[in-house]
Amino acid sequence: MTQADYKKLKAVEQRNKNRWLAVNPLLTDKSGIYILTRTDENGIKYAYIGQAKHVLTRLAQHLVGYQHIDLSLKKHGLADDKNQFGWFATAQCFAKSELDEQEQKYIKKYADFGFQLRNKNLGSQGKGKFGIAENKPSKGYYDGKKQGRKDLADELKTVIKYLNITPKDKGKLAERMMTKFVRLLVMDDDICKGQDDD
């Protein structure tokens, strides 16, 4: 990373820290537990509890990340006069050695308060960490490629209803190519289950 890139990165981080300080000027960069809360248009309360060695820095990172809570922050924005349904942040300072225990305590506390938790597990970085929400596997390059093939197969199935597709000759190569073409349409058994044959 060049010096210029590092400066740009730090400038973005500082802007994001300032955005959080506009939401709550009492936020600090000390170690502790941060609590993100919002209430939606239907009165449903949501919360996300996290721990950080530097709370304000971690909150700033959430604004540029791609975890589930980061995406929710981008979608709903931060709370202010114009956005009453945005996310609000508070924090409690604790020693680094207490973070795991306190994070679990606050997650339980907010669950007891009736908040819909956006946490994927019960917190902590070590002992006692277990899931509380279904983790969907992240989609990667090959998942996208597979989806693209499925989309193409679906499109071809629609088009082929109006065409006659036959091999050019009766040789083994033409037969193999016809089989390959049909496989491209079918993809695999999982995709075709429950579909009607035409």
Side-chain angles (χ1 to χ4, degrees), residues 20-173:
W20 280 113
L21 289 170
V23 171
N24 183 353
L26 300 177
L27 294 170
T28 71
D29 218 14
K30 294 181 180 178
S31 68
I33 302 302
Y34 58 93
I35 301 109
L36 301 176
T37 57
R38 70 178 286 269
T39 303
D40 73 7
E41 299 83 353
N42 300 311
I44 298 172
K45 301 182 298 183
Y46 298 93
Y48 177 85
I49 291 89
Q51 63 168 283
K53 294 176 184 174
H54 304 282
V55 168
L56 193 55
T57 299
R58 182 66 186 114
L59 288 170
Q61 291 168 347
H62 276 305
L63 295 179
V64 293
Y66 292 95
Q67 295 176 333
H68 64 285
I69 189 61
D70 306 340
L71 299 175
S72 184
L73 286 164
K74 289 173 186 171
K75 179 178 180 180
H76 301 290
L78 305 183
D80 61 21
D81 294 339
K82 296 176 184 175
N83 185 11
Q84 62 183 346
F85 304 117
W87 287 95
F88 183 78
T90 59
Q92 297 291 323
C93 294
F94 294 103
K96 293 174 188 173
S97 60
E98 299 178 68
L99 293 179
D100 286 347
E101 177 187 340
Q102 293 297 331
E103 183 181 21
Q104 290 178 340
K105 177 182 157 187
Y106 273 85
I107 288 172
K108 171 94 171 72
K109 186 178 186 178
Y110 275 76
D112 291 344
F113 286 157
F115 281 82
Q116 301 288 318
L117 292 175
R118 290 294 166 243
N119 292 73
K120 294 289 185 183
N121 58 58
L122 192 56
S124 106
Q125 299 299 314
K127 287 185 180 179
K129 184 173 187 165
F130 63 89
I132 58 175
E134 180 183 328
N135 286 322
K136 294 181 182 174
S138 61
K139 297 205 175 195
Y141 170 79
Y142 290 104
D143 295 315
K145 193 173 172 182
K146 185 176 179 182
Q147 183 62 47
R149 286 178 58 112
K150 182 189 177 308
D151 292 346
L152 176 60
D154 290 344
E155 184 71 22
L156 285 172
K157 284 176 194 174
T158 303
V159 170
I160 206 166
K161 290 177 185 179
Y162 304 98
L163 302 173
N164 252 342
I165 306 294
T166 59
K168 289 184 179 180
D169 58 45
K170 300 209 183 260
K172 287 190 176 193
L173 180 59

